[in-house]
Amino acid sequence: QVWLQESGPGLVRPSRTLSLTCSVSGTSVTDQNYFWSWIRQPPGKGLEWLGSISHTKGTNFQPSLSSRLTMSLDTSANHFSLRLTSVTAADTAVYYCAREPGSLDYWGQGILVTVS
Amino acid sequence: DIQMTQFPSTLSASVGETVIITCRASESVSHWVAWYQQKPGKAPMLLIYKASSLEYGVPSRFSGSESGTEFTLTISRLQPDDFATYYCQQYHTYSTFGQGTRLE
């Protein structure tokens, strides 16, 4: 059974860096059929795709965030990570990780990150 | 950026009815559109991919279709469990979600 779980701090100070990790089980981050994605959802609002990383560690980012966003893949630990620099209150959201064979077929439960 | 305009934003219906939710893409996305259902406090769940392909385990009362740059999600014979928020997504160029439709 495929399972994804986000982890990281729930509170980040403004101007600091937000770092999250997505632990993956039941599937491998080295599988060439998938990208590994991050999506966020501000409280009470809609979904925003942030970016994705492939098994070759190639990345695609939301253009509006590309200057602040980094993603990495740890094949030995079977997890992938997100770093978002210079955060503001506008980055407060539930952050989800997901498996992406094009669409997003498996999602983590989400983690609320508050910038304050 | 490709925009996905989703409507209506809110939809009122009753159990047993059929409803249609629409997304219009700002440019061609071929058939690279997915639909998701989200319930409060939960992650979205994939319903439809490639515009009209039903995800494994999703009831057949959910269906998707496309006509040019317009995509629809049809939910037939509404069940109590179907009242939720629905999102479309294009994944032709990067990825963009529609604004969501709350089905009440």
Side-chain angles (χ1 to χ4, degrees):
Chain A
Q1 174 141 2
V2 176
W3 188 259
L4 291 85
Q5 174 121 30
E6 305 87 352
S7 60
L11 180 65
V12 181
R13 302 298 181 197
S15 80
R16 304 298 289 269
T17 297
L18 182 162
S19 297
L20 296 173
T21 294
C22 181
S23 299
V24 178
S25 60
T27 184
S28 173
V29 298
T30 61
D31 192 323
Q32 62 185 348
N33 293 306
Y34 306 113
F35 278 73
W36 303 93
S37 298
W38 290 95
I39 304 98
R40 70 181 180 182
Q41 185 171 37
K45 297 190 177 180
L47 300 164
E48 179 183 29
W49 176 83
L50 302 181
S52 60
I53 186 167
S54 73
H55 68 287
T56 60
K57 303 184 180 179
T59 53
N60 294 306
F61 295 146
Q62 178 69 250
S64 62
L65 293 170
S66 60
S67 64
R68 298 196 291 136
L69 200 52
T70 307
M71 292 185 184
S72 60
L73 197 74
D74 186 331
T75 57
S76 61
N78 208 39
H79 71 215
F80 61 105
S81 300
L82 168 147
R83 282 170 48 92
L84 182 66
T85 62
S86 304
V87 298
T88 69
D91 296 309
T92 293
V94 174
Y95 286 75
Y96 296 100
C97 59
R99 188 177 79 169
E100 181 186 329
S103 55
L104 300 158
D105 63 351
Y106 285 94
W107 296 61
Q109 64 187 18
I111 182 170
L112 174 62
V113 180
T114 301
V115 178
S116 178
Chain B
D1 295 7
I2 298 177
Q3 307 299 318
M4 298 294 283
T5 302
Q6 184 175 343
F7 52 92
S9 56
T10 306
L11 186 53
S12 297
S14 301
V15 170
E17 292 184 349
T18 294
V19 297
I20 296 174
I21 300 168
T22 302
C23 266
R24 185 173 295 135
S26 59
E27 60 186 86
S28 174
V29 295
S30 185
H31 51 249
W32 301 113
V33 168
W35 290 93
Y36 301 86
Q37 177 193 71
Q38 187 180 33
K39 296 184 178 178
K42 300 294 186 182
M45 181 182 79
L46 178 64
L47 301 173
I48 302 284
Y49 62 95
K50 271 201 298 189
S52 59
S53 296
L54 191 67
E55 175 71 352
Y56 180 77
V58 174
S60 59
R61 62 178 184 275
F62 291 90
S63 63
S65 65
E66 63 176 293
S67 177
T69 58
E70 193 161 285
F71 300 84
T72 59
L73 172 70
T74 301
I75 313 172
S76 305
R77 305 179 304 280
L78 276 171
Q79 299 298 302
D81 192 50
D82 299 336
F83 292 90
T85 300
Y86 293 85
Y87 293 92
C88 63
Q89 177 214 15
Q90 68 80 18
Y91 50 101
H92 176 272
T93 303
Y94 298 122
S95 180
T96 318
F97 290 93
Q99 298 89 336
T101 295
R102 185 165 66 95
L103 176 57
E104 61 180 26

